[in-house]
Amino acid sequence: MDLIVARNREDLVKARRAGTVALVPTMGALHEGHMSLIRQARVRADQVVVSVFVNPLQFTPNEDFSRYPRTFDADLDACRTEGVDVVFHPAAEDMYALDRQVGISSGEMGARVEGVFRPGHFDGVLTVVLKLFNLVRPDLAVFGQKDAQQLALIRRMVTDLDLPIEILGVPTVREPDGLALSSRNRYLSEDDRRVALALSRALRTGAAQFTAATIRAAAQEVLDAAGPDLGVDYLALVDPATFTEVGDDFGGVAVLAVAARVGGTRLIDNVTLTLNPA
Ligand code: AMP
C-alpha cells in the first residue's frame, strides 16, 4: 500500500481501513527515536498513522516555534521506509479556529518540574493530543519516555477523561555516547554537543546510586562540573505518576529528570530508576 498524506478530517476518513489503528504523534524532523515509536506501532496495529504537526499551542512566546526544524519531505521518506500507512499533516489554521475557546488543563501536575519553566506547555500538548485522538480515533497511541512528564500527563488524561485508547511508552533512543536523540540536537555546535553530554552523564551517574539523597548529589556534581556553558533549569527526582519530588527516604520507582540550556538550545532527558528506602 502506498503512503497516504492526509491534510484534514475528510482525508483521514477516506484513508481509514478495517482493523486496529495506532497513532504516533510527532512534530516532524523525524529521527531514530521517532522510528522506534513507529516500529512499536507497526507490530501492534493493522494501520499506522503518524501525525506531523508543529503545535503552536505548546510553545511559550519566547520559544523556538518559528525556527523549529521542518523537514517534511525527508519525514515522508522515513515513514515510507518504515511502512507507515498514513501521515497526517494538517495546517495550523485547520487545527485551530481563530476564535477557539476550549482546551485541556494539565492541572497542578502540568505546572510542576518542566511546567515551571514552560507555563502552559502541557495544556497545549494535551489539547493537541486530544484533538489528534478525536480526529484519528486510534486504538493505541505511542509516546516516548524521553518526554516523561508528557507521557505521564497523557496517561492521566486518558484516565481522568475515560478515553478508550491504550497508551504505550517507548524507551529513549540515544546516540552511542549517551546523548538522547532530539529534533533540536541539530542546533548544537560541536562544542555545544560536548557540553550537552553532561545531561546523560549526570543521569547515568545518579542512577548508579541507591538512595534519593545520593542520587541527587551524584547527578548534581556532574552538572556542576560542566561549568557555565550548561544552564541547568532543573534536576528533579520525582514520582513517575505525579511528578512530585520524592523524599530522601523514598523507596520504589522514580524518574530522575534534567533540563538544561546549551548555546541557544534547551534539552531535556530522564532515566527511570528503582530506589531502596534509606
Ligand atoms: P516530538 O516530535 O519531539 O514532539 O516527539 C514525538 C514523540 O517522539 C514523543 O512521544 C517523544 O517522546 C518521542 N521521542 C522524541 N525523542 C525520542 C527519543 N530519543 N527516543 C524515543 N522517543 C523519542
Side-chain angles (χ1 to χ4, degrees):
M1 279 291 267
D2 268 358
L3 176 71
I4 297 169
V5 178
R7 300 202 179 255
N8 51 43
R9 187 187 303 262
E10 292 70 44
D11 290 350
L12 279 172
V13 170
K14 269 189 257 159
R16 179 107 205 181
R17 291 203 314 269
T20 54
V21 175
L23 170 66
V24 182
T26 81
M27 297 207 299
L30 300 182
H31 51 66
E32 272 301 310
H34 298 113
M35 295 308 123
S36 172
L37 271 54
I38 290 170
R39 285 172 204 141
Q40 294 292 332
R42 182 71 283 165
V43 296
R44 281 175 172 77
D46 300 317
Q47 195 175 25
V48 175
V49 180
V50 173
S51 60
V52 174
F53 180 61
V54 184
N55 173 33
L57 235 55
Q58 71 188 69
F59 289 77
T60 53
N62 55 348
E63 288 183 348
D64 58 349
F65 173 68
S66 54
R67 75 176 192 116
Y68 193 85
R70 288 161 170 88
T71 61
F72 190 60
D73 289 342
D75 294 347
L76 282 185
D77 287 343
C79 286
R80 213 171 268 121
T81 304
E82 291 301 332
V84 169
D85 299 283
V86 181
V87 170
F88 180 45
H89 186 50
E93 50 278 20
D94 290 336
M95 283 295 270
Y96 298 118
L98 280 176
D99 65 346
R100 67 173 206 96
Q101 304 290 316
V102 177
I104 299 293
S105 163
S106 57
E108 275 178 34
M109 190 173 156
R112 294 177 191 140
V113 190
E114 182 76 356
V116 172
F117 295 87
R118 308 188 71 186
H121 167 68
F122 289 119
D123 293 359
V125 169
L126 294 185
T127 300
V128 81
V129 168
L130 183 60
K131 282 174 70 77
L132 290 169
F133 286 176
N134 286 333
L135 288 160
V136 175
R137 304 199 164 273
D139 302 280
L140 167 76
V142 187
F143 296 88
Q145 181 66 37
K146 160 80 167 38
D147 297 274
Q149 192 171 1
Q150 166 177 292
L151 175 58
L153 277 161
I154 288 163
R155 291 193 192 283
R156 262 332 276 246
M157 175 169 76
V158 163
T159 301
D160 290 352
L161 301 183
D162 303 302
L163 305 181
I165 296 172
E166 183 193 342
I167 303 299
L168 178 71
V170 174
T172 302
V173 177
R174 299 176 180 281
E175 301 280 7
D177 60 10
L179 184 71
L181 296 192
S182 162
S183 302
R184 291 187 170 99
N185 288 355
R186 69 191 67 203
Y187 299 146
L188 300 173
S189 69
E190 227 171 278
D191 282 348
D192 291 342
R193 209 187 165 292
R194 237 185 332 270
V195 175
L197 283 180
L199 274 77
S200 55
R201 198 182 311 125
L203 297 177
R204 268 199 318 278
T205 307
Q209 299 293 323
F210 296 102
T211 69
T214 53
I215 287 166
R216 286 193 175 99
Q220 188 62 53
E221 197 178 327
V222 174
L223 296 176
D224 292 345
D229 290 339
L230 190 74
V232 178
D233 279 349
Y234 61 78
L235 173 71
L237 184 63
V238 296
D239 179 326
T242 61
F243 269 72
T244 47
E245 287 279 348
V246 301
D248 275 350
D249 56 353
F250 176 85
V253 176
V255 165
L256 182 63
V258 65
R261 288 156 286 108
V262 185
T265 305
R266 189 170 181 283
L267 301 173
I268 62 171
D269 198 356
N270 70 87
V271 287
T272 300
L273 29 79
T274 305
L275 286 72
N276 298 329

